[in-house]
Amino acid sequence: MENRYSIKEVSQILGIPKDTLRYYDRIGIVSPSREHNSYRRYSKDDLVDLMNIQIMQYADFSLEEIKGKFQFHRMQSVDPAYYQEVAEFLDAKKAETRKKIAHLEKVSQLLDVAVEALRDLNYESDQRLAVFVREIYRDLHRKDPGTKEDCDGHQN
């Protein structure tokens, strides 16, 4: 017979709070079997699923995305179209992640320029900061076509 783990054991092994494990069961993302006393009993497959969930959450997937897209081992036969759909979903997620990286790079540059301007208070560093801030402001408004003027009241 396969080894089964209690909710307390799983919580200790994987470092997932028991309340989180109960929540996953309630929403159907990982549903362990139940004993006659209705205690949850987790299989090795359940532990693998929970580890994969932790990895996907680390990769910034929401629980809805995880639940909706990643139920491979639960399906007896998987339609190749399903794999294609998941691959497209992952491509879109990767593109979204690259956008976030580009945004964070820009924020990091802004902080570098701001720190430089504050550490070396002079006209040149102040101007560099002003130029950079204007560039970011323009980028923001390219994404939001509803805004027509910049902070100086000029039309874009």
Side-chain angles (χ1 to χ4, degrees):
M1 184 171 161
E2 184 184 4
N3 204 9
R4 298 275 174 172
Y5 303 89
S6 70
I7 193 169
K8 181 180 179 182
E9 291 169 323
V10 171
S11 178
Q12 290 171 338
I13 292 167
L14 299 179
I16 300 173
K18 289 187 273 187
D19 286 343
T20 301
L21 294 169
R22 288 185 195 100
Y23 178 70
Y24 289 170
D25 186 12
R26 196 166 53 252
I27 65 171
I29 200 165
V30 173
S31 299
S33 61
R34 301 280 185 145
E35 290 185 334
H36 59 281
N37 57 11
S38 33
Y39 289 164
R40 292 172 178 86
R41 300 303 288 178
Y42 292 84
S43 68
K44 287 188 187 231
D45 283 344
D46 292 331
L47 266 64
V48 169
D49 284 351
L50 289 164
M51 287 187 275
N52 286 331
I53 289 167
Q54 287 180 306
I55 290 166
M56 289 197 270
Q57 285 184 310
Y58 173 80
D60 211 22
F61 286 88
S62 69
L63 286 178
E64 293 77 27
E65 289 170 328
I66 295 167
K67 184 179 177 189
K69 296 288 181 191
F70 301 99
Q71 301 297 316
F72 295 123
H73 79 275
R74 301 217 189 308
M75 302 164 80
Q76 295 304 314
S77 63
V78 179
D79 180 354
Y82 175 76
Y83 286 128
Q84 188 61 37
E85 179 188 328
V86 171
E88 288 169 12
F89 172 76
L90 292 175
D91 277 340
K93 194 70 174 177
K94 182 178 171 184
E96 183 183 313
T97 300
R98 294 225 179 271
K99 276 185 180 175
K100 287 179 184 176
I101 290 169
H103 169 76
L104 291 173
E105 286 290 340
K106 198 79 163 175
V107 169
S108 179
Q109 290 171 6
L110 172 63
L111 295 174
D112 284 345
V113 173
V115 165
E116 180 188 326
L118 291 170
R119 286 206 173 118
D120 181 23
L121 288 175
N122 64 48
Y123 179 78
E124 222 174 88
S125 62
D126 194 44
Q127 284 305 106
R128 262 196 307 276
L129 180 59
V131 167
F132 199 79
V133 167
R134 276 195 297 275
E135 279 177 29
I136 289 175
Y137 194 78
R138 273 191 221 102
D139 286 349
L140 285 172
H141 291 293
R142 266 188 226 122
K143 293 175 189 164
D144 180 12
T147 307
K148 300 270 190 269
E149 55 185 50
D150 64 20
C151 58
D152 296 325
H154 296 103
Q155 294 294 317
N156 285 340

